[in-house]
Amino acid sequence: MPNGIMFLTAKERPLCTEERVMRPMIDVAISLAKAHRASDPKTNIIKLLPDDNEIRLVEVSDAAPTIGEAIPFRFDAYPAKDVDYPSAVILLSQDEWRDVSQGKLRLPAGWDLQTAVNL
Amino acid sequence: MAAPARDWADPFLEQAREDLRAAYAISASKSASTLCMLLQMVFEKLGKAAHSRVGYTIARDHRYATKLFLILELSPAGSDVLQIAPNARQFLEELENATPSVANKSDNTSAPWPRLEYPWEDASGCILYPARDLALAKRVRNPNDRILGDCLKLASALEKQLFAIIQ
């Protein structure tokens, strides 16, 4: 009697047979936020902004100097470190965060704080 | 007749800005060791800009990030910038030690310093190279580590405020 799983198509088989299971984007984002807070305990706000292609984080830290711009720096996915998605971080000082909140400093196009989630 | 030292300040700052734009642009690539090299170059040029600005002649030397931090420490505004970015300062000093000309001067043959840019030989005779073996590059590539962002942010602050800080 053949084993049932042998007759599943590749699409039907669970992802965890041979390949690693990819964690949901939100779980990876939470891990990133935790790691960033550990390396910079002066990080007091981290927001996850929705995007289908990359994890977008806005991080506000007392250890960040003010430059008056919101420029993202990006990372490729790094599965060996359990980060299965590309990510982008905008690091803001408290003054810059205040300006963003008041609409005086704009985030890049497509970075929408309205639907952001606090991490 | 050679140009006065101060005339070099703006060109060094402009070149640091160019390198910084390139660093932001390749931040998502897998070329972490090249990104490290760019970060080192940004801070070396910022250091040379600062030194020229205060009237020192620039030497043929890569150790200008360390000198930049020493100049910044002399002013309250500079100290403030450094105080809020201690992680970046330590990382950048380690990067400076990995520039080949600095690392080659290390007399510790039992534990040779790792190198930016070129392969190096460890104490056991094994040849290592930055793209695979440079620990600093591994940190820069790792999304869990925010050191890249801390360094880019510090560089951005200095390229905007350097001459106001050191006057």
Side-chain angles (χ1 to χ4, degrees):
Chain A
M1 192 71 169
N3 183 334
I5 200 159
M6 291 177 69
F7 292 95
L8 293 175
T9 64
K11 210 171 177 182
E12 291 164 335
R13 245 176 264 137
L15 269 176
C16 56
T17 48
E18 288 184 347
E19 305 111 47
R20 235 169 29 83
V21 179
M22 276 178 70
R23 293 190 297 162
M25 214 180 229
I26 179 75
D27 289 358
V28 178
I30 290 168
S31 298
L32 287 177
K34 193 174 170 186
H36 293 178
R37 278 203 167 92
S39 68
D40 174 11
K42 291 182 178 173
T43 303
N44 37 45
I45 297 170
I46 300 184
K47 289 186 176 281
L48 170 66
L49 281 64
D51 187 79
D52 291 337
N53 302 314
E54 64 181 5
I55 294 170
R56 290 182 171 172
L57 300 175
V58 170
E59 303 189 1
V60 184
S61 169
D62 289 336
T66 297
I67 63 171
E69 285 183 90
I71 312 173
F73 55 95
R74 296 193 137 82
F75 295 95
D76 199 2
Y78 200 168
K81 297 285 182 187
D82 277 340
V83 183
D84 294 309
Y85 309 93
S87 55
V89 179
I90 293 179
L91 179 58
L92 298 175
S93 67
Q94 287 292 347
D95 287 346
E96 289 165 339
W97 175 243
R98 188 199 55 226
D99 288 348
V100 166
S101 305
Q102 294 175 353
K104 293 178 188 168
L105 176 62
R106 286 179 182 273
L107 297 181
W111 287 63
D112 182 12
L113 267 179
Q114 299 299 320
T115 48
V117 177
N118 285 315
L119 297 181
Chain B
M1 194 172 117
R6 281 179 67 95
D7 287 3
W8 290 86
D10 284 326
F12 270 120
L13 183 59
E14 286 304 323
Q15 201 54 43
R17 287 178 173 141
E18 175 87 349
D19 292 349
L20 181 57
R21 280 193 290 273
Y24 271 106
I26 72 159
S27 70
S29 76
K30 288 188 170 71
S31 308
S33 66
T34 305
L35 180 53
C36 281
M37 211 166 65
L38 273 171
L39 283 174
Q40 187 277 324
M41 288 161 63
V42 168
F43 280 87
E44 179 180 328
K45 289 180 183 109
L46 287 170
K48 287 181 174 176
H51 266 70
S52 313
R53 181 78 171 186
V54 295
Y56 290 118
T57 302
I58 299 304
R60 283 181 178 274
D61 188 354
H62 290 296
R63 287 171 295 188
Y64 272 88
T66 308
K67 291 173 185 168
L68 168 67
F69 300 143
L70 294 176
I71 284 191
L72 291 173
E73 278 176 344
L74 296 175
S75 73
S79 295
D80 285 350
V81 169
L82 291 179
Q83 234 170 24
I84 57 179
N87 292 351
R89 178 176 182 172
Q90 187 187 344
F91 182 85
L92 291 161
E93 288 175 345
E94 289 175 28
L95 263 188
E96 185 172 273
N97 285 335
T99 54
S101 66
V102 178
N104 286 339
K105 288 177 186 156
S106 160
D107 52 8
N108 187 352
T109 51
S110 63
W113 289 355
R115 307 284 200 277
L116 269 177
E117 199 174 349
Y118 294 108
W120 74 96
E121 186 176 344
D122 73 5
S124 68
C126 184
I127 309 290
L128 308 175
Y129 58 98
R132 187 191 64 190
D133 301 309
L134 186 66
L136 299 167
K138 289 177 186 171
R139 285 193 67 190
V140 158
R141 192 189 157 194
N142 183 357
N144 291 299
D145 193 328
R146 213 184 60 195
I147 194 65
L148 172 63
D150 293 338
C151 290
L152 289 172
K153 188 82 176 176
L154 176 60
S156 297
L158 290 175
E159 68 93 355
K160 288 178 190 307
Q161 302 162 19
L162 184 62
F163 292 166
I165 290 172
I166 63 173
Q167 296 291 335

